[in-house]
Amino acid sequence: MHVAPMADRAVAPRMARGLLLAGACLVMASPFLWMGLTSLMGQLEVFSGGSILPQAPRWSNYPEALTAQPFGRYFLNSLVFATAVAAGQVATSATAGYAFARLDFPGREGLFLLFLSTMMVPAVVVLIPRFLVIDALDWIDTYQGLISTELVSVWGIFLMRQYFRTVPRELEDAARVDGARHLRIFWSVALPLAKPAVATLALFAFVDAWKNLLWPLLVTRSMEMRVVEVGIAAFHSTYEINWPYQMAAGVTAVLPIALLFLFTQRYFVRGIQLEGIR
Amino acid sequence: MGSVSRAGQGVVLRGVEKRFGDVVALEPMDLEVRPGELMVLVGPSGCGKSTLLRLIAGLEESTSGEVWIGGRRVDEVEPGARDVAMVFQSYALYPHMTVARNLGFGLRMRGTPRAELEQRVAETAAALGLGELLERKPGQLSGGQRQRVALGRAMVRDPGVFLFDEPLSNLDAELRLRTRDEIAALHRRLGTTMIFVTHDQVEALSLGQRVAVMDRGRLQQVGTPAEVYRRPGNLFVAGFVGSPPINRIPLFRDDRGRLAGGPFVLAAPSSLSRATLAVRPEDLAVAGPGEADGDASGGSTRTGDFRATVLRVEALGSEQRVHLDGPGIAAWVARASPALRVASGDRVSVSVDWERSHLFGPDGRRQEGVPRPAEQGVSR
């Protein structure tokens, strides 16, 4: 009899918290739910303004949408683009981050601040200069044009620098006495210890590249070079909007990322913790 | 690696100085560590002893001066090419590598053939009792085991000089004593030059063949443990070395040209206007209340140099520490035999062993010669 009131007191806040989280979860998930439901509707049904649930789910939207354009090629392009960007950003961020964290050279702090200050420049501002450079190199509609200017991430350099600074200096001292030089220390001691930061950076870079629309839209022309995001956007032309097809392609494009997230959630959380807020 | 090592290398520092901007970490100093010697650098934290060790290792660059190892000037030589191995305070084991890989890392960096590397790692591991742990990572080892791996990582390379940067400070008291003995045994067995940094003066005296005492970036005294303890070169060394610390009292020149302070009046060397008298606790002889009374009644035994009140007695089993109180001698401590029968509040008679006491000038430097009372039966 004495236990019940205590249990009530413990349950009430937990229920309140659960309800709050469920509400927030619903808000976050609703666009995805809507996308999923719309992907199963007919063209007219979308605009009928009736129920948000499809009358009779049209699963055929999926094969139709994915064959309306060469999505196989698009997925391959997206995979190449995102993988190359992730690998490139890990390579440049890890080396530059280590240099900023551990090498003593004149003007190091000033140079780092200069790097950091570029984070304040909105990405769209540099879009045109980047395009002009790629155009001048005659790299429009090529993989190198798509990938090259995405290979360096100041955020990634910052992340890696912060992480390398937490690696105890005595470990590097020990390696130096053992006969290792900077490159060897970086490769054999610092980088293996920075695995969590590398995983976080690779994931964020991959996801960012996968969902990048603007840059691939600008720098690719042919169907052969398009990525998934550009393909999805193509259902949305001046004279025609095919919402169910667009949503079906959208669901298909989100699936690999959702799966990736399920298996690597802790690295995302760590990334957000490392960075403060993204 | 086996039990026989090649001969150790001598280490010579000539005018070595280290500044960090305007901050002087080490004043210019000369130091010679003989081949095969175990030298201990000791001093309070921040005295520059670890900086000095890092200069020898090549982990810091000296601002000026020369570092020689094995007859070769090494100022411009990378740490890995200096023929030194170092054991760090935190052990600095590579956390992502197994014990075997930790031990073999230095050999791999030197391009040692695989078969030889594996053999040397196995021998070192066997010598240190690490054979069962070779596939474990440092995170799975106890503090003592990590310490052994750190030691093994240095040993396996068979270096000319071992550098130890406070390697025992993370161990509990019992393990610290045992490891200290093991390092001493290792030194006897290998005969390699070892430079050992510690802030613990007991560790320094018990381990070092010679001890270099440092304070505020300056070398204060270099000598055998007995020299440093028995003939401290200055007031800092006298106070830093020894536990409980040396008793001291300031003395000033009086109008009769003598040095006086508290119960003491000493014949002064003519040049001194003031000085400090320092006496080790074991160089004070305390007579119990009964004995003192007997002395005072005109017996033939020697009377004490001064009388004091017993503040507190620490009975440590093998000895007693008698805390004394009196004008000018507050907080003096005497070491006495456990047989002595004294208690707090007793008035006792205390004798000073003048042959073993020390006088330091106004600049803190040792005054040669034995301090002598100016007259028999100093003021009571």
Side-chain angles (χ1 to χ4, degrees), chain A:
Chain A
M1 287 304 284
H2 293 293
V3 176
M6 284 184 68
D8 286 347
R9 273 205 296 278
V11 164
R14 276 170 59 193
M15 274 184 65
R17 201 167 57 206
L19 280 173
L20 195 71
L21 287 175
C25 189
L26 194 68
V27 170
M28 293 291 176
S30 55
F32 292 97
L33 279 176
W34 201 333
M35 179 167 76
L37 294 171
T38 308
S39 73
L40 298 172
M41 289 181 178
Q43 266 278 53
L44 293 175
E45 195 183 349
V46 175
F47 296 104
S48 67
S51 164
I52 60 162
L53 293 174
Q55 300 290 320
R58 268 181 56 94
W59 294 101
S60 60
N61 281 345
Y62 279 83
E64 286 167 19
L66 296 178
T67 49
Q69 296 182 65
F71 267 96
R73 178 75 198 190
Y74 295 174
F75 270 99
L76 179 71
N77 288 343
S78 278
L79 191 68
V80 170
F81 177 48
T83 308
V85 167
Q89 285 193 10
V90 165
T92 56
S93 300
T95 45
Y98 181 75
F100 279 126
R102 283 295 193 249
L103 302 194
D104 288 319
F105 56 89
R108 183 180 75 172
E109 297 308 309
L111 191 63
F112 181 64
L113 281 178
L114 194 69
F115 264 64
L116 271 194
S117 65
T118 64
M119 285 175 84
M120 290 188 288
V121 181
V124 286
V125 173
V126 291
L127 214 55
I128 301 304
R130 282 168 65 191
F131 178 81
L132 292 176
V133 169
I134 295 301
D135 187 43
L137 289 168
D138 207 15
W139 281 359
I140 299 292
D141 211 31
T142 62
Y143 277 127
Q144 61 267 37
L146 189 63
I147 293 163
S148 58
T149 59
E150 294 278 336
L151 290 178
V152 176
S153 155
V154 174
W155 172 77
I157 293 171
F158 175 68
L159 180 89
M160 294 308 298
R161 171 188 179 264
Q162 296 307 95
Y163 205 87
F164 282 131
R165 282 162 68 107
T166 67
V167 173
R169 213 175 254 275
E170 278 202 338
L171 287 181
E172 294 179 27
D173 288 343
R176 286 178 68 196
V177 175
D178 270 341
R181 304 232 183 160
H182 275 305
L183 208 58
R184 168 59 69 178
I185 295 171
F186 167 73
W187 187 252
S188 294
V189 179
L191 196 60
L193 293 177
K195 259 186 204 159
V198 167
T200 301
L201 171 61
L203 277 169
F204 275 110
F206 187 90
V207 173
D208 275 356
W210 186 271
K211 63 188 175 64
N212 192 341
L213 168 67
L214 204 52
W215 177 246
L217 183 67
L218 208 63
V219 85
T220 60
R221 299 270 158 82
S222 64
M223 296 281 245
E224 284 72 35
M225 285 310 300
R226 272 186 184 173
V227 297
V228 174
E229 291 291 322
V230 177
I232 294 171
F235 285 117
H236 201 124
S237 69
T238 312
Y239 303 107
E240 189 193 12
I241 306 171
N242 192 328
W243 284 112
Y245 279 13
Q246 194 171 16
M247 292 302 134
V251 168
T252 317
V254 154
L255 274 180
I257 299 295
L259 278 175
L260 195 66
F261 180 76
L262 277 182
F263 290 108
T264 56
Q265 196 176 357
R266 67 195 172 107
Y267 292 111
F268 277 93
V269 174
R270 199 197 305 264
I272 291 161
Q273 285 168 344
L274 277 173
E275 187 192 9
I277 193 155
R278 192 169 161 82

